[in-house]
Amino acid sequence: MGRYTGPVCRLCRREGMKLYLKGERCLGPKCPIVKRQPNRNYPPGQHGQKRTRRPSEYALQLREKQRLKRLYGILERQFRRHFEEAERRPGLTGENLLQILERRLDNVVYRLGFADSRRQARQLVTHGHFLVNGRKTDIPSYLVRPGDIIAVRPQSREREYFKVVQETAQSKPVPAWLTRDLETMSGRVVSLPAADQIDIPAINTQLVVEYYSRR
């Protein structure tokens, strides 16, 4: 299965929550989750309005896994690899999984305010606009480590997009495990992200662990 290329707002409606897939639009009144009346906030498609039975335990686990996967914009095979890596590490698998997802280079670029969404950050990374410790890195799934420095390439700073980012990113908060220097258009990984430093919609990672554990 290839990457989803349809309207991303349908994904938010399907999951019944904001996944912040369209950047600033998700924060305004044009967001479909906000715009639609509460009694019309149903999943997309011809069957979205039909009354459904109480979801099974498996359905709840599946929905939670889909929400987390779509929030970070990752396909199933790669998401499964991240879960298996989290499972091998000591500690709680759910917290390990969130930490791995946060450490992805595309997510770090988004957290630093250099992109309006993770989808846009992934495109910027793929196009080679960023350096990690002075080396060009165009792999969105690259996992950063404490002490790593992520910077916009000198050639890319001359582009109009990054000039605008340099002026507007100040209003975007940066998590405590990162630091940002807009003058040099760079950021530094101070530490591994702790559970209370990861700002995402309420997702029960235990249900995700249970989903993969039953297969």
Side-chain angles (χ1 to χ4, degrees):
M1 179 181 177
R3 184 170 296 279
Y4 177 76
T5 57
V8 294
C9 290
R10 288 175 62 92
L11 301 181
C12 295
R13 288 179 55 205
R14 179 63 188 89
E15 304 306 337
M17 63 187 294
K18 285 189 178 186
L19 299 177
Y20 300 98
L21 303 176
K22 296 195 75 172
E24 294 296 327
R25 182 187 173 119
C26 299
L27 305 176
K30 291 185 178 181
C31 173
I33 297 294
V34 176
K35 194 174 181 180
R36 300 172 72 86
Q37 298 297 325
N39 60 346
R40 295 182 60 213
N41 197 18
Y42 45 77
Q46 61 179 341
H47 302 298
Q49 302 179 52
K50 292 186 177 180
R51 297 182 64 181
T52 58
R53 296 176 297 176
R54 183 177 178 180
S56 65
E57 183 180 348
Y58 175 78
L60 292 174
Q61 294 167 356
L62 175 62
R63 279 275 60 82
E64 210 69 7
K65 186 268 294 184
Q66 291 292 86
R67 285 170 181 164
L68 186 59
K69 187 181 74 171
R70 287 170 171 171
L71 178 66
Y72 284 93
I74 304 173
L75 296 180
E76 178 61 32
R77 183 179 296 181
Q78 192 170 48
F79 189 81
R80 179 64 183 265
R81 285 201 299 266
H82 286 324
F83 176 82
E84 291 172 349
E85 183 178 352
E87 205 171 24
R88 290 192 296 267
R89 297 184 178 186
L92 298 176
T93 302
E95 291 185 5
N96 291 342
L97 177 60
L98 285 180
Q99 189 179 88
I100 290 172
L101 294 173
E102 282 291 302
R103 288 173 55 202
R104 286 173 55 98
L105 180 57
D106 54 359
N107 179 75
V108 172
V109 168
Y110 166 69
R111 292 296 192 192
L112 289 172
F114 296 152
D116 289 334
S117 65
R118 292 180 178 88
R119 190 178 190 178
Q120 185 183 45
R122 186 176 305 108
Q123 185 181 46
L124 292 172
V125 172
T126 303
H127 289 180
H129 292 298
F130 289 91
L131 305 173
V132 177
N133 297 328
R135 299 185 63 178
K136 178 181 173 182
T137 306
D138 56 5
I139 303 173
S141 60
Y142 177 86
L143 298 183
V144 300
R145 295 172 292 182
D148 283 354
I149 297 176
I150 297 90
V152 179
R153 293 179 65 202
Q155 303 93 319
S156 299
R157 291 181 206 169
E158 302 303 317
R159 292 175 177 266
E160 185 63 29
Y161 170 81
F162 287 106
K163 290 180 180 179
V164 173
V165 167
Q166 194 170 24
E167 297 174 357
T168 60
Q170 189 64 47
S171 61
K172 299 178 181 179
V174 176
W177 58 281
L178 295 171
T179 59
R180 179 180 62 195
D181 184 351
L182 289 178
E183 186 175 344
T184 60
M185 289 296 284
S186 65
R188 184 174 181 270
V189 182
V190 178
S191 63
L192 294 177
D196 59 349
Q197 295 175 327
I198 299 176
D199 182 23
I200 60 173
I203 290 180
N204 188 346
T205 56
Q206 182 57 35
L207 291 178
V208 180
V209 175
E210 292 173 1
Y211 172 83
Y212 284 114
S213 297
R214 66 187 297 166
R215 299 182 68 183

